[in-house]
Amino acid sequence: MKITIFKRQIVKVICLLFIMVGILCISAETTVYATGNTDLPEVTIEEPEIPEVPDPDAQASLQITLGEDNGTMNGALRILIILTLISFLPAALIMLTSFTRIIIVMHFTRAALGTQTSPPNQVLIGIAIFLTIFIMGPIFTEINETAIKPLDEGLITTEEALEIGMEPLREFMYAQTQSKDVSVFMEISGNEWDGTPEGVPTSVLISSFIISELRTSFIIGFLIYIPFIVIDMVVASVLMSMGMMMLPPTTISMPFKILLFVLADGWNLVIVNLVKTFF
């Protein structure tokens, strides 16, 4: 009997709890008034907004904007392209200017003299760089005036600046390139050449210019070698006639070659005539 009464009380308590929870859920807002004072402002307690939980099944998306919908290049992308071009500058300085011919001729001159490390490589590279700046100075000035400054002032686009800036370099390379090299690379690329500079693509012109520079520099190096070979032959013949076959001829001939080079003002002859080949 007592157990039955206890169960009934528990059921009543549970029913009261459900009724209270239902009342709280039905009332969205609750207004509280201060007791005994109706002049106080009304205080309203609102239910807090529950933030939206992102859907775990939704896929994340990445959006990259290259411009501002105005046809111009984004600043970050422009900086990336500029840094890439700066890393390409050493290769352009070596292959698209007079640097290749100068440095090869300098090495041939040192080898013909027989001095292994004099002048050292750093000196030869420095000479080649400054001679390249001297030879390419007018071309760099023209590129600066016609392409870089208008681009900096916003008068032309990047594509137009690249096209205008390549024209002086194309004229320089075409003047130093032999026609047979251009014809060979045009044939390899499957294009027909009408014999004009405008009909040669830039990639074909660069390849032809490199081959022509290598050929020209080796021809100049051979001409430099001729007088020193004569000295080696004369010294070797004298040593053999004296029976001194065990003595290396280069040991005796090197001082005579250096003396001949100094008396003939060899560095002036080599450098001046080498620079004149570009004009």
Side-chain angles (χ1 to χ4, degrees), residues 220-232:
I220 297 174
F222 172 74
L223 296 176
I224 292 174
Y225 252 102
I226 291 177
F228 300 106
I229 291 177
V230 172
I231 294 176
D232 288 332

Side-chain angles (χ1 to χ4, degrees), residues 13-195:
V13 172
I14 293 173
C15 291
L16 289 174
L17 288 175
F18 276 112
I19 293 171
M20 292 178 65
V21 171
I23 293 172
L24 291 175
C25 291
I26 292 172
S27 60
E29 296 182 356
T30 304
T31 305
V32 179
Y33 297 94
T35 306
N37 190 357
T38 59
D39 296 334
L40 294 176
E42 182 178 315
V43 179
T44 302
I45 301 176
E46 298 181 356
E47 292 184 357
E49 296 182 359
I50 301 176
E52 296 182 0
V53 180
D55 188 5
D57 297 331
Q59 297 181 355
S61 60
L62 177 63
Q63 184 178 1
I64 299 176
T65 304
L66 297 181
E68 300 177 356
D69 297 333
N70 55 2
T72 59
M73 191 179 299
N74 193 14
L77 184 60
R78 182 178 298 177
I79 293 174
L80 178 62
I81 293 175
I82 292 174
L83 292 177
T84 305
L85 292 177
I86 290 175
S87 63
F88 180 73
L89 280 179
L93 176 64
I94 294 173
M95 306 311 300
L96 304 184
T97 61
S98 59
F99 182 87
T100 302
R101 185 188 303 183
I102 295 171
I103 194 65
I104 292 176
V105 171
M106 292 290 105
H107 276 282
F108 270 120
T109 304
R110 185 177 67 179
L113 285 172
T115 56
Q116 300 297 325
T117 58
S118 182
N121 291 331
Q122 292 83 352
V123 174
L124 295 182
I125 293 174
I127 293 173
I129 289 175
F130 282 104
L131 290 179
T132 301
I133 294 173
F134 173 76
I135 295 170
M136 304 297 295
I139 299 173
F140 292 155
T141 302
E142 184 178 354
I143 294 174
N144 183 49
E145 294 293 334
T146 59
I148 297 178
K149 285 186 177 180
L151 177 63
D152 187 46
E153 296 173 359
L155 300 178
I156 58 176
T157 62
T158 306
E159 292 78 8
E160 293 175 346
L162 290 175
E163 184 177 355
I164 296 173
M166 280 300 298
E167 286 302 320
L169 279 177
R170 283 177 56 88
E171 293 177 1
F172 169 78
M173 289 188 292
Y174 186 80
Q176 305 299 325
T177 304
Q178 298 185 11
S179 300
K180 61 180 181 180
D181 296 327
V182 178
S183 301
V184 169
F185 280 98
M186 290 293 288
E187 183 179 355
I188 293 174
S189 62
N191 299 321
E192 295 183 358
W193 184 35
D194 55 359

Side-chain angles (χ1 to χ4, degrees), residues 267-279:
W267 288 115
N268 180 70
L269 291 175
V270 171
I271 292 177
V272 171
N273 289 279
L274 181 60
V275 171
K276 287 182 178 179
T277 59
F278 292 97
F279 294 95

